[in-house]
Amino acid sequence: MKDKRVAAAISGVPWWLVLIVGLGVIALATALADESYRVIFGAVARGFGVTMTVAVVSYAASLVLGLGLGLARSSGFRPLREVSTFYIELVRGLPMLVILYYIAFVGAPALAGILNGLLAPLISAGVFKAFSSRSFDFATRAVLALTLGYGAFIAEIFRAGIESVDRGQVEAAYALGLSHSQTMVRVVLPQAIRNVLPALANEFVAIIKDSALVSVLGVQDITQIGKVYAASTFKFFETYNVVAFFYLCLTISLSMLVRALERRLKRESSQ
Amino acid sequence: MSAFIRIRDAVKTFSTRGRGGALGLDTVLALDGVTLDVERGEVVLIIGPSGSGKSTLLRSVNRLESLDSGEIWIGDDSVTARRADLRRIREDAGMVFQSFNLFAHMTILDNVSLAPRLVRKVPAAQAREAAVAILERVGLLDKLDRYPRQLSGGQQQRAAIARALAMNPKALLFDEPTSALDPEMIKEVLDVMTGLAEDGMTMMVVSHEMGFARAAADRVVFMDRGRIVEQGKPEELFSDPKEERTRDFIRHIL
Ligand SMILES: Nc1ncnc2c1ncn2[C@@H]1O[C@H](COP(=O)(O)OP(=O)(O)O)[C@@H](O)[C@H]1O
Ligand SMILES: [Mg+2]
């Protein structure tokens, strides 16, 4: 009887988490004890702000873009639906790295050209200096690329959320005289967003990991600083341990928060 | 004086993806020329087999469906005009659904006060006060802050009726309001509906509840295959149907 309970308790333990937390503690302890790890920690930590800024700004912007695209995708107006679907399918079919190169080396010059065209009178009047691709630093281009890419993923999440709301909710709103947009804002979206909250939060974890791609543009994030440090000191093992440590602290703690959120939503909707 | 709700030669087809037709489209004739008048304060019960067009008829009256041809009027407002004022029509005629369709993310009080605030621009405090009064009338004063999922089916349907009433409709459309309910909850909903009928509400009700038909209906309309086959006073139609199809159907439901 008691054995069974012990067995149940043991099998209920998330061993993967125990292992990871254990390794984390060992890593931290070693680092604090070891002079060279301390230095690497200090160096890589300087990229933490950049990594977080890139992730948070791109995520916030792709939520806005994704919501717009998701609404367009489930709109009753065909041209809007076709255009948004075209964009979403195109972007989702490309590797994130290719999007990044595209925006950095094709998109930025094009954007400069467009802005110069649009603002030509102001520029010739001397209000602005003419734009060149150098007007956009690589961090900005990286954020733009992540936003355009993740906007497409997030649009699909919003669309799934909108479709998950029972058709009867919409009909009831219409039958009460609510307009299309009132129905969307007051009835459909609150339920849709609640249904996809965990999926949206998971995209934040994903964007933190994909933010490492910006290192290919030389943006000084955790990965880039680690890469440069490792190459100059040949301490590859130690450096990438530290880099991995930073990412894992972020992603695992966030994933656990997402799970807690999921459980809470489930509990709320079942009472 | 002409009738309050006037339906003239209503025709409605639906296309469904099926095997037939060159484009793989099957068409269903849901309404095949329906003409019906409902007087002010009258309670019209609509019966008929599944798929006979009852829901489509109701949903055409508040323009959740648009007719292919024919005309519908509520009072002076055209429902079927191309540029019909949808807001006005839906203020005129409220609707109660088989599956309640209460807004799942809102309390009962918010469910009832939402449309008056958004559509009729009633100030929040006043809308709330009115909602409380209406919920009291349907016996849900103790459920104001509950969410729909926390209520029984019968309570949800009474809340849905309250939500429709909060817009001060001139007519109410009920589409099988008790079909999704457990037997012990049917009476509480029918009692509310009977009360409304006694207060003079104009009602079109799709239902096969004989008790309600006898207690509250002024007229019963029997539909089959998109047409009105026969209509009359409840006692006449139920005890002495003229048409063979009506007789078969009534034998079925009695
Ligand atoms: N949205 C729809 N799309 C396709 N066919 C429909 C739709 N709504 C109703 N129909 C069809 O129209 C006919 C009448 O349906 P309905 O009005 O719901 O009948 P009832 O309410 O009497 O059961 C049925 O054959 C039904 O399948
Ligand atoms: Mg029906």
Side-chain angles (χ1 to χ4, degrees), chain A residues 89-113:
Chain A
E89 291 303 324
L90 203 71
V91 168
R92 290 205 317 156
L94 289 171
M96 198 64 222
L97 188 57
V98 172
I99 297 177
L100 202 70
Y101 283 134
Y102 231 93
I103 297 301
F105 301 114
V106 182
L111 186 62

mmCIF file of all heavy atoms in Angstrom, chain A residues 89-113:
data_model
loop_
_atom_site.group_PDB
_atom_site.id
_atom_site.type_symbol
_atom_site.label_atom_id
_atom_site.label_comp_id
_atom_site.label_asym_id
_atom_site.label_seq_id
_atom_site.Cartn_x
_atom_site.Cartn_y
_atom_site.Cartn_z
ATOM 1 N N GLU A 89 1.574 32.020 -46.376
ATOM 2 C CA GLU A 89 2.124 30.793 -46.955
ATOM 3 C C GLU A 89 3.546 31.010 -47.454
ATOM 4 O O GLU A 89 4.410 30.146 -47.308
ATOM 5 C CB GLU A 89 1.233 30.302 -48.100
ATOM 6 C CG GLU A 89 -0.123 29.778 -47.642
ATOM 7 C CD GLU A 89 -0.006 28.645 -46.627
ATOM 8 O OE1 GLU A 89 0.920 27.817 -46.751
ATOM 9 O OE2 GLU A 89 -0.829 28.592 -45.698
ATOM 10 N N LEU A 90 3.768 32.177 -48.051
ATOM 11 C CA LEU A 90 5.096 32.501 -48.570
ATOM 12 C C LEU A 90 6.118 32.490 -47.441
ATOM 13 O O LEU A 90 7.145 31.816 -47.494
ATOM 14 C CB LEU A 90 5.036 33.895 -49.207
ATOM 15 C CG LEU A 90 6.090 34.214 -50.248
ATOM 16 C CD1 LEU A 90 5.796 33.419 -51.509
ATOM 17 C CD2 LEU A 90 6.066 35.713 -50.557
ATOM 18 N N VAL A 91 5.816 33.230 -46.390
ATOM 19 C CA VAL A 91 6.774 33.408 -45.308
ATOM 20 C C VAL A 91 6.985 32.106 -44.542
ATOM 21 O O VAL A 91 8.102 31.757 -44.169
ATOM 22 C CB VAL A 91 6.299 34.541 -44.370
ATOM 23 C CG1 VAL A 91 7.109 34.544 -43.090
ATOM 24 C CG2 VAL A 91 6.415 35.878 -45.074
ATOM 25 N N ARG A 92 5.886 31.359 -44.347
ATOM 26 C CA ARG A 92 6.020 30.117 -43.582
ATOM 27 C C ARG A 92 6.807 29.058 -44.335
ATOM 28 O O ARG A 92 7.311 28.110 -43.747
ATOM 29 C CB ARG A 92 4.639 29.568 -43.206
ATOM 30 C CG ARG A 92 3.955 30.456 -42.169
ATOM 31 C CD ARG A 92 2.948 29.705 -41.358
ATOM 32 N NE ARG A 92 2.131 28.820 -42.160
ATOM 33 C CZ ARG A 92 1.517 27.763 -41.686
ATOM 34 N NH1 ARG A 92 1.638 27.456 -40.422
ATOM 35 N NH2 ARG A 92 0.769 27.020 -42.479
ATOM 36 N N GLY A 93 6.921 29.246 -45.653
ATOM 37 C CA GLY A 93 7.645 28.285 -46.449
ATOM 38 C C GLY A 93 9.141 28.563 -46.526
ATOM 39 O O GLY A 93 9.866 27.834 -47.175
ATOM 40 N N LEU A 94 9.587 29.644 -45.886
ATOM 41 C CA LEU A 94 11.008 30.007 -45.952
ATOM 42 C C LEU A 94 11.693 29.741 -44.620
ATOM 43 O O LEU A 94 11.102 29.950 -43.566
ATOM 44 C CB LEU A 94 11.144 31.507 -46.263
ATOM 45 C CG LEU A 94 10.775 31.957 -47.673
ATOM 46 C CD1 LEU A 94 10.751 33.474 -47.749
ATOM 47 C CD2 LEU A 94 11.761 31.384 -48.681
ATOM 48 N N PRO A 95 12.961 29.310 -44.667
ATOM 49 C CA PRO A 95 13.705 29.207 -43.407
ATOM 50 C C PRO A 95 13.897 30.605 -42.817
ATOM 51 O O PRO A 95 14.076 31.576 -43.555
ATOM 52 C CB PRO A 95 15.062 28.635 -43.844
ATOM 53 C CG PRO A 95 14.858 28.098 -45.208
ATOM 54 C CD PRO A 95 13.744 28.889 -45.818
ATOM 55 N N MET A 96 13.833 30.695 -41.488
ATOM 56 C CA MET A 96 13.980 31.980 -40.813
ATOM 57 C C MET A 96 15.291 32.666 -41.213
ATOM 58 O O MET A 96 15.334 33.882 -41.396
ATOM 59 C CB MET A 96 13.942 31.731 -39.294
ATOM 60 C CG MET A 96 13.660 32.960 -38.464
ATOM 61 S SD MET A 96 12.023 33.633 -38.781
ATOM 62 C CE MET A 96 12.434 35.337 -38.824
ATOM 63 N N LEU A 97 16.324 31.856 -41.388
ATOM 64 C CA LEU A 97 17.640 32.426 -41.722
ATOM 65 C C LEU A 97 17.604 33.115 -43.081
ATOM 66 O O LEU A 97 18.200 34.170 -43.278
ATOM 67 C CB LEU A 97 18.699 31.319 -41.707
ATOM 68 C CG LEU A 97 20.157 31.763 -41.857
ATOM 69 C CD1 LEU A 97 20.550 32.756 -40.772
ATOM 70 C CD2 LEU A 97 21.081 30.540 -41.812
ATOM 71 N N VAL A 98 16.878 32.519 -44.022
ATOM 72 C CA VAL A 98 16.780 33.112 -45.359
ATOM 73 C C VAL A 98 15.996 34.425 -45.287
ATOM 74 O O VAL A 98 16.363 35.416 -45.931
ATOM 75 C CB VAL A 98 16.114 32.117 -46.343
ATOM 76 C CG1 VAL A 98 15.837 32.791 -47.683
ATOM 77 C CG2 VAL A 98 16.996 30.890 -46.523
ATOM 78 N N ILE A 99 14.919 34.443 -44.472
ATOM 79 C CA ILE A 99 14.164 35.687 -44.294
ATOM 80 C C ILE A 99 15.083 36.774 -43.754
ATOM 81 O O ILE A 99 15.061 37.930 -44.195
ATOM 82 C CB ILE A 99 12.979 35.467 -43.321
ATOM 83 C CG1 ILE A 99 11.999 34.442 -43.905
ATOM 84 C CG2 ILE A 99 12.259 36.783 -43.044
ATOM 85 C CD1 ILE A 99 10.856 34.107 -42.980
ATOM 86 N N LEU A 100 15.910 36.363 -42.807
ATOM 87 C CA LEU A 100 16.825 37.315 -42.180
ATOM 88 C C LEU A 100 17.784 37.923 -43.220
ATOM 89 O O LEU A 100 17.961 39.144 -43.290
ATOM 90 C CB LEU A 100 17.610 36.581 -41.093
ATOM 91 C CG LEU A 100 18.229 37.427 -40.001
ATOM 92 C CD1 LEU A 100 17.144 38.004 -39.113
ATOM 93 C CD2 LEU A 100 19.163 36.555 -39.154
ATOM 94 N N TYR A 101 18.395 37.078 -44.037
ATOM 95 C CA TYR A 101 19.307 37.584 -45.074
ATOM 96 C C TYR A 101 18.562 38.470 -46.063
ATOM 97 O O TYR A 101 19.053 39.502 -46.488
ATOM 98 C CB TYR A 101 19.957 36.405 -45.823
ATOM 99 C CG TYR A 101 21.078 35.740 -45.058
ATOM 100 C CD1 TYR A 101 21.158 34.356 -44.965
ATOM 101 C CD2 TYR A 101 22.063 36.505 -44.444
ATOM 102 C CE1 TYR A 101 22.195 33.739 -44.273
ATOM 103 C CE2 TYR A 101 23.099 35.895 -43.741
ATOM 104 C CZ TYR A 101 23.156 34.524 -43.662
ATOM 105 O OH TYR A 101 24.173 33.926 -42.971
ATOM 106 N N TYR A 102 17.371 38.025 -46.407
ATOM 107 C CA TYR A 102 16.564 38.772 -47.360
ATOM 108 C C TYR A 102 16.306 40.184 -46.880
ATOM 109 O O TYR A 102 16.525 41.161 -47.585
ATOM 110 C CB TYR A 102 15.216 38.053 -47.524
ATOM 111 C CG TYR A 102 14.866 37.799 -48.953
ATOM 112 C CD1 TYR A 102 15.198 36.590 -49.551
ATOM 113 C CD2 TYR A 102 14.209 38.756 -49.708
ATOM 114 C CE1 TYR A 102 14.896 36.352 -50.862
ATOM 115 C CE2 TYR A 102 13.899 38.517 -51.030
ATOM 116 C CZ TYR A 102 14.241 37.324 -51.602
ATOM 117 O OH TYR A 102 13.943 37.091 -52.898
ATOM 118 N N ILE A 103 15.789 40.284 -45.647
ATOM 119 C CA ILE A 103 15.445 41.598 -45.114
ATOM 120 C C ILE A 103 16.715 42.442 -44.947
ATOM 121 O O ILE A 103 16.739 43.627 -45.265
ATOM 122 C CB ILE A 103 14.718 41.466 -43.761
ATOM 123 C CG1 ILE A 103 13.401 40.726 -43.944
ATOM 124 C CG2 ILE A 103 14.481 42.831 -43.140
ATOM 125 C CD1 ILE A 103 12.454 41.379 -44.909
ATOM 126 N N ALA A 104 17.780 41.804 -44.471
ATOM 127 C CA ALA A 104 18.987 42.563 -44.186
ATOM 128 C C ALA A 104 19.619 43.116 -45.455
ATOM 129 O O ALA A 104 20.053 44.262 -45.483
ATOM 130 C CB ALA A 104 19.988 41.683 -43.434
ATOM 131 N N PHE A 105 19.650 42.292 -46.524
ATOM 132 C CA PHE A 105 20.431 42.702 -47.688
ATOM 133 C C PHE A 105 19.581 43.061 -48.900
ATOM 134 O O PHE A 105 20.080 43.656 -49.842
ATOM 135 C CB PHE A 105 21.428 41.597 -48.037
ATOM 136 C CG PHE A 105 22.349 41.304 -46.876
ATOM 137 C CD1 PHE A 105 22.303 40.080 -46.225
ATOM 138 C CD2 PHE A 105 23.196 42.298 -46.391
ATOM 139 C CE1 PHE A 105 23.130 39.822 -45.140
ATOM 140 C CE2 PHE A 105 24.014 42.053 -45.298
ATOM 141 C CZ PHE A 105 23.982 40.818 -44.666
ATOM 142 N N VAL A 106 18.299 42.668 -48.911
ATOM 143 C CA VAL A 106 17.425 43.056 -50.013
ATOM 144 C C VAL A 106 16.381 44.043 -49.495
ATOM 145 O O VAL A 106 16.135 45.089 -50.091
ATOM 146 C CB VAL A 106 16.701 41.831 -50.634
ATOM 147 C CG1 VAL A 106 15.840 42.269 -51.804
ATOM 148 C CG2 VAL A 106 17.713 40.776 -51.044
ATOM 149 N N GLY A 107 15.800 43.707 -48.343
ATOM 150 C CA GLY A 107 14.707 44.516 -47.792
ATOM 151 C C GLY A 107 15.157 45.905 -47.387
ATOM 152 O O GLY A 107 14.474 46.891 -47.676
ATOM 153 N N ALA A 108 16.313 46.002 -46.716
ATOM 154 C CA ALA A 108 16.725 47.301 -46.192
ATOM 155 C C ALA A 108 16.993 48.320 -47.305
ATOM 156 O O ALA A 108 16.475 49.434 -47.251
ATOM 157 C CB ALA A 108 17.942 47.142 -45.285
ATOM 158 N N PRO A 109 17.765 47.937 -48.355
ATOM 159 C CA PRO A 109 17.951 48.891 -49.454
ATOM 160 C C PRO A 109 16.616 49.258 -50.113
ATOM 161 O O PRO A 109 16.381 50.423 -50.441
ATOM 162 C CB PRO A 109 18.840 48.129 -50.442
ATOM 163 C CG PRO A 109 19.508 47.077 -49.636
ATOM 164 C CD PRO A 109 18.574 46.719 -48.535
ATOM 165 N N ALA A 110 15.748 48.242 -50.275
ATOM 166 C CA ALA A 110 14.448 48.503 -50.905
ATOM 167 C C ALA A 110 13.649 49.485 -50.054
ATOM 168 O O ALA A 110 13.050 50.433 -50.568
ATOM 169 C CB ALA A 110 13.676 47.200 -51.073
ATOM 170 N N LEU A 111 13.654 49.260 -48.739
ATOM 171 C CA LEU A 111 12.904 50.133 -47.835
ATOM 172 C C LEU A 111 13.448 51.554 -47.907
ATOM 173 O O LEU A 111 12.679 52.519 -47.945
ATOM 174 C CB LEU A 111 13.002 49.595 -46.396
ATOM 175 C CG LEU A 111 12.160 50.307 -45.358
ATOM 176 C CD1 LEU A 111 10.681 50.181 -45.679
ATOM 177 C CD2 LEU A 111 12.424 49.731 -43.965
ATOM 178 N N ALA A 112 14.776 51.674 -47.959
ATOM 179 C CA ALA A 112 15.391 53.001 -48.069
ATOM 180 C C ALA A 112 14.912 53.681 -49.347
ATOM 181 O O ALA A 112 14.546 54.863 -49.335
ATOM 182 C CB ALA A 112 16.909 52.877 -48.057
ATOM 183 N N GLY A 113 14.890 52.916 -50.460
ATOM 184 C CA GLY A 113 14.436 53.457 -51.733
ATOM 185 C C GLY A 113 12.997 53.932 -51.659
ATOM 186 O O GLY A 113 12.656 55.038 -52.096
#
